[in-house]
Amino acid sequence: MKVGEREFRAVWWEGDGEGRVVMIDQRRLPHELVTVAARTVEEVAFLIMDMAVRGAPTIGATAAYGMVLGRDDPKRAANILGKARPTARDLFTAIEWMVKEPSRERAEAYVEGIVARCRMIGEHGAELLGRIAADRGRANVLTHCHAGALAAVDHGTALAPIHAYARGMGADGVRPLVWVDETRPRLQGAITAWELSAAGIDHKVVVDNAAGHLLSHGEADVVIVGADRIAANGDVANKVGTYGKAVLAKEHGVPFYVAAPSTTIDLSLPDGSHIEIEERGESEVLELRGRQLFGAGTHAFNPAFDVTPARFVTGYITESGVLQAEQLEPTFRPRDKLENDRTTGDT
Amino acid sequence: MKVGEREFRAVWWEGDGEGRVVMIDQRRLPHELVTVAARTVEEVAFLIMDMAVRGAPTIGATAAYGMVLGRDDPKRAANILGKARPTARDLFTAIEWMVKEPSRERAEAYVEGIVARCRMIGEHGAELLGRIAADRGRANVLTHCHAGALAAVDHGTALAPIHAYARGMGADGVRPLVWVDETRPRLQGAITAWELSAAGIDHKVVVDNAAGHLLSHGEADVVIVGADRIAANGDVANKVGTYGKAVLAKEHGVPFYVAAPSTTIDLSLPDGSHIEIEERGESEVLELRGRQLFGAGTHAFNPAFDVTPARFVTGYITESGVLQAEQLEPTFRPRDKLENDRTTGDT
């Protein structure tokens, strides 16, 4: 992604030999664009857990580089990194990919594979948006959480179609407008808004509560979200609040798409009931930047994700095209996926 | 309501002769329990607009006292107060009640009528909760926004049944648990939590996004919310986000109740599409206690309410019992309502 004149990725490797993993510190956005670096596996695991990096594909890429830092004892590194966050499938996809050969080259191949997949997600999704714009004369997209370039190394997942469609603007003369859910408790919407601002894409922030009002008033033509893990049947774990949007979208006949690379798909799980939902600390809800929002004696429950059943998903925007739930398993069954990884990784 | 050893109402009249309207400043809760006073109609209108008082019944009571301050020119007072907020029906119910005779006695009768109605809402709702507890062995209530004593002078609307049921605990041995939506952007959940803490009622705060996770996991036995305006057909305007909870509740077969006194019902509107939805300033979304949450160049859209169609409402907990949508009009048609007002007001 480009911010002003500078090209960024969400995470990258720096230095020869020992080296270090450098990432844009998403905890500081949108207020500051600064990086944070890790030199040990533990530091990488902590930064994933503390949400310096967010978004399943970026978490996966960060873990791939983390495995390089831990190359002297890859099983130990895999064990440490695997504890960082439980829900994002890409974390485990990356660890599995790296554990037998934790070299920098292999990590770069993994990361390039992610970037290539997300570029393809952008192209397939931009076509879809073009069809929606042709049909509706408008392309108003509601999105939840952050699923942009910072969440997916580059390009994004849910935002990749919007970036790609906006770059091709003029073909149909329709300017996309993005409704950005603020996404409590961590306000990832602020990162989405920051990224859309940098790309010059029209957007408006709404509180998470506003989706019902927007959808019932016909203000969104499509909902596109990312994913943290997709089960074999197409059930989707994504940032808490996604499911509510999916149910509302269905109620109002608004198409609901999930954009994700195959590295987020977990064919070992038959359905979403098997996906572990991370519960995070209550301070994320009760405090904001160190200030108490609630009175003493009040506690919070803070599930970080929810599961949207496949029946609410109109389609899955993947590197292999826009698929239906029943196409996920045949398209990405393990043999193909590994071959696909190698091929894409080598481009 | 009782906080420690002190009995409070949300708003009251102080002094003889000129007098003043005193209200608990809900902008300062849960951090400080302080009052703010108004000596002119304009001050009352500003404090309603700025949300020092919130909740349709409390807004109505505040306006009733405000009409007393403006008794020398009641039409002018009605005009000023009527501009304070557009959605809460009680504001207009109170103004209509006061405009022909803006005396302190009549204002007190109006306010006592509200208190009496909300006490009845508590009794009818507590019976309902008792039946749910008997059926489920549990009484976990999800609520949205603040619909407690501070929102309704005393007792509350959505919280009145919980307060009344909790006071009667031991009959069935079931302790209620309240899931408190934080309710962005203004975090009225903090007031709900504060009030439940004061009453010693178990509760947990969740972000507004968590409702889908809670309801799909069977964590709530019932949803109870208040209302700002109810149309003749039972469509309900309430704090933005209510509609999404209603759709999720229906999806999961969880009963969804609206608790409101008849002063919130607007029989002049055939359905919810005629209810004016207040749009508030974007700073409510973009800033929190003076701190910018989003980057420069990002704007917000901030509808304060949404409309839940009557088909999502299991029942309406009113002073006249738990009603179905089609019973609202026959039960509260204007003639009955006025008589009812006078009767209740004189108790």
Side-chain angles (χ1 to χ4, degrees), chain A residues 197-218:
Chain A
S197 287
I201 294 171
D202 294 343
H203 63 282
K204 277 197 180 174
V205 170
V206 287
V207 295
D208 302 299
N209 281 323
H213 183 81
L214 289 175
L215 290 164
S216 65
H217 283 71

Side-chain angles (χ1 to χ4, degrees), chain B residues 54-59 90 114-115 117-126 128-129 141 143-164 192 195 224-228 230 238 257-264 316-319:
Chain B
R54 309 173 196 191
T58 291
I59 289 172
D90 299 66
I114 297 296
V115 172
R117 285 184 181 85
C118 290
R119 193 176 57 237
M120 290 308 297
I121 288 171
E123 292 184 16
H124 297 307
L128 180 71
L129 283 178
V141 184
T143 190
H144 189 63
C145 200
H146 175 65
L150 286 173
V153 187
D154 203 354
H155 303 297
T157 54
L159 296 195
I162 300 165
H163 285 303
T192 299
E195 189 172 312
I224 310 180
V225 298
D228 286 83
I230 301 174
N238 191 45
Y257 288 93
V258 173
S262 56
T263 49
T264 304
Y316 302 80
I317 311 174
T318 74
E319 67 266 30

Side-chain angles (χ1 to χ4, degrees), chain A residues 27-31 184 186-187 190 283-284 286-293, chain B residues 286 288 291-294:
Chain A
R27 297 168 300 187
R28 309 281 285 274
L29 283 172
H31 305 285
R184 281 279 291 155
R186 293 294 291 255
L187 294 174
S283 64
E284 285 190 349
L286 300 177
E287 299 169 18
L288 193 75
R289 310 223 176 104
R291 299 191 69 164
Q292 294 292 329
L293 302 178
Chain B
L286 300 177
L288 193 75
R291 298 191 70 165
Q292 294 292 329
L293 302 177
F294 295 85

Side-chain angles (χ1 to χ4, degrees), chain B residues 16-310:
Chain B
D16 297 322
E18 294 296 306
R20 54 193 199 140
V21 184
V22 184
M23 51 205 98
I24 291 180
D25 191 344
Q26 298 184 34
R27 298 167 301 188
R28 309 280 284 276
L29 284 172
H31 305 285
E32 290 182 292
L33 179 61
V34 294
T35 59
V36 57
R39 293 179 183 278
T40 67
V41 176
E42 287 82 354
E43 286 172 9
V44 172
F46 174 78
L47 289 168
I48 291 172
M49 191 185 312
D50 203 43
M51 296 172 65
V53 284
R54 309 173 196 191
T58 291
I59 289 172
T62 307
Y65 290 132
M67 289 295 291
V68 182
L69 291 177
R71 59 193 169 246
D72 291 344
D73 190 346
K75 280 197 179 164
R76 180 179 170 275
N79 188 37
I80 290 170
L81 291 166
K83 289 177 182 164
R85 296 192 74 186
T87 306
R89 169 61 195 161
D90 299 66
L91 176 64
F92 305 95
T93 306
I95 291 170
E96 287 159 22
W97 169 257
M98 293 295 297
V99 74
K100 284 189 188 158
E101 188 198 319
S103 66
R104 182 177 165 200
E105 291 64 34
R106 197 161 159 87
E108 296 294 3
Y110 180 87
V111 173
E112 293 306 324
I114 297 296
V115 172
R117 285 184 181 85
C118 290
R119 193 176 57 237
M120 290 308 297
I121 288 171
E123 292 184 16
H124 297 307
E127 270 181 46
L128 180 71
L129 283 178
R131 287 197 298 275
I132 289 169
D135 183 38
R136 312 256 310 169
R138 211 181 59 175
N140 290 5
V141 184
L142 172 65
T143 190
H144 189 63
C145 200
H146 175 65
L150 286 173
V153 187
D154 203 354
H155 303 297
T157 54
L159 296 195
I162 300 165
H163 285 303
Y165 176 72
R167 277 196 301 272
M169 262 178 352
D172 58 15
V174 172
R175 258 180 102 82
L177 169 71
V178 185
W179 294 109
V180 178
D181 272 351
E182 65 169 356
T183 318
R184 280 279 291 157
R186 292 292 292 258
L187 296 173
Q188 284 90 343
I191 302 179
T192 299
W194 175 82
E195 189 172 312
L196 293 170
S197 288
I201 295 171
D202 294 343
H203 63 282
K204 277 198 179 174
V205 170
V206 288
V207 295
D208 302 299
N209 282 321
H213 183 81
L214 289 176
L215 289 164
S216 65
H217 283 70
E219 296 289 354
D221 303 301
V222 60
V223 182
I224 310 180
V225 298
D228 286 83
R229 190 179 293 235
I230 301 174
N233 74 336
D235 291 353
V236 177
N238 191 45
K239 182 55 55 193
V240 70
T242 299
Y243 173 47
K245 273 72 182 175
V247 175
L248 281 164
K250 187 158 201 172
E251 177 68 25
H252 293 286
V254 175
F256 181 92
Y257 288 93
V258 173
S262 56
T263 49
T264 304
I265 300 171
D266 185 353
L267 295 175
S268 75
L269 301 183
D271 62 58
S273 69
H274 299 269
I275 301 175
E276 183 182 344
I277 298 299
E278 177 183 10
E279 284 179 27
R280 294 182 63 87
E282 65 176 10
S283 64
E284 284 190 351
V285 177
L286 300 177
E287 299 169 18
L288 193 75
R289 308 219 180 111
R291 298 191 70 165
Q292 294 292 329
L293 302 177
F294 295 85
T298 284
H299 293 280
F301 172 58
N302 185 22
F305 304 94
D306 61 22
V307 172
T308 299

Side-chain angles (χ1 to χ4, degrees), chain A residues 112-133:
Chain A
E112 294 305 325
I114 296 297
V115 172
R117 283 183 182 85
C118 291
R119 194 175 57 236
M120 291 308 297
I121 287 170
E123 292 183 15
H124 296 307
E127 269 180 46
L128 178 72
L129 283 179
R131 287 197 296 277
I132 288 168

